[in-house]
Amino acid sequence: ENLTFLFFMNIQRLQLADIDSDWNPSSRGEVQAFLLEHPKLKSAGIITYGKFSIKSSLRAIGRALDYSAQEISSIASQVDDYKAPYKVLDSVRDEHSLLFDYSDMIEGVISHSSRHPAAILVSDVDIFEEIGTVRVSKYDYPVTNLSMEYVEYLNFVKLDILGLINWEWVTNAVELAGLPRMYSQSDYI
């Protein structure tokens, strides 16, 4: 019961733990590229799916129904979407019933795909053959066909390559002080 990492030893936790790795924000991309380009590693980014919120669905449907950008903005500003279900005055809903009816239909529907900014899947099996990969815009590497929840459900472990500004500050301070940089293969350890 006095385990430091009880979260990871919890029998109610059904998925494997991910691995977090902290890097300077300026070198995070290099680390991800290393993992994704290494010839002996089977790796891919992890896809994410963006969904229509009520406000984004109002904007999309509003454009289709020829509302002006100013009208859409005014209507969307009257929607309280802090907690689900969203709240809006009955008078606003009644005045724009078609807009709200259609917007309700697409709220929660996938609007686009992207990639998780930190997550990389590294595996001992061919990811393309096992779960499939796709390409997303503005990313030069394959991403998994399945989102993070399904990747975890299938017992794949994801690596989160995190960029922490405090690492950058320490690195810069060590460099400015003229101290030797220590790393795992360093002679100083």
Side-chain angles (χ1 to χ4, degrees):
E1 296 293 328
N2 271 338
L3 295 173
T4 305
F5 296 102
L6 187 59
F7 175 75
F8 300 115
M9 303 300 286
N10 186 343
I11 59 172
Q12 277 77 36
R13 183 182 167 101
L14 299 177
Q15 72 273 17
L16 294 170
D18 60 353
I19 299 170
D20 288 351
S21 181
D22 302 329
W23 297 86
N24 294 340
S26 63
S27 38
R28 191 175 84 153
E30 293 173 44
V31 175
Q32 289 179 342
F34 173 83
L35 294 169
L36 292 161
E37 294 172 4
H38 195 287
K40 292 184 179 180
L41 297 177
K42 298 172 179 104
S43 57
I46 297 180
I47 201 164
T48 59
Y49 295 103
K51 297 178 181 178
F52 281 105
S53 67
I54 187 57
K55 289 186 178 183
S56 62
S57 63
L58 285 168
R59 287 184 176 86
I61 297 298
R63 283 191 304 273
L65 294 176
D66 291 326
Y67 279 77
S68 73
Q70 185 178 355
E71 285 176 298
I72 295 168
S73 223
S74 173
I75 294 165
S77 71
Q78 297 177 64
V79 173
D80 177 8
D81 62 346
Y82 181 68
K83 281 185 177 179
Y86 71 89
K87 295 179 183 125
V88 66
L89 293 173
D90 288 338
S91 59
V92 175
R93 180 180 264 292
D94 292 344
E95 185 180 346
H96 306 283
S97 61
L98 190 60
L99 173 64
F100 277 92
D101 288 347
Y102 286 142
S103 296
D104 286 341
M105 288 180 198
I106 68 167
E107 183 185 10
V109 171
I110 293 172
S111 60
H112 65 280
S113 61
S114 187
R115 68 162 184 108
H116 189 291
I120 304 291
L121 177 64
V122 179
S123 177
D124 60 342
V125 298
D126 187 306
I127 297 168
F128 178 78
E129 287 182 19
E130 194 71 23
I131 58 176
T133 60
V134 295
R135 296 284 180 162
V136 294
S137 64
K138 300 177 184 169
Y139 193 60
D140 295 332
Y141 305 101
V143 296
T144 59
N145 205 28
L146 301 174
S147 64
M148 191 165 42
E149 297 79 18
Y150 294 103
V151 167
E152 289 173 347
Y153 176 78
L154 293 171
N155 286 327
F156 286 95
V157 177
K158 76 177 173 63
L159 273 161
D160 279 336
I161 309 301
L162 305 170
L164 299 180
I165 193 66
N166 57 332
W167 279 118
E168 193 98 39
W169 295 338
V170 169
T171 299
N172 292 342
V174 166
E175 202 171 282
L176 287 170
L179 298 172
R181 183 168 180 215
M182 293 202 271
Y183 51 93
S184 60
Q185 290 81 30
S186 175
D187 292 335
Y188 302 104
I189 295 178

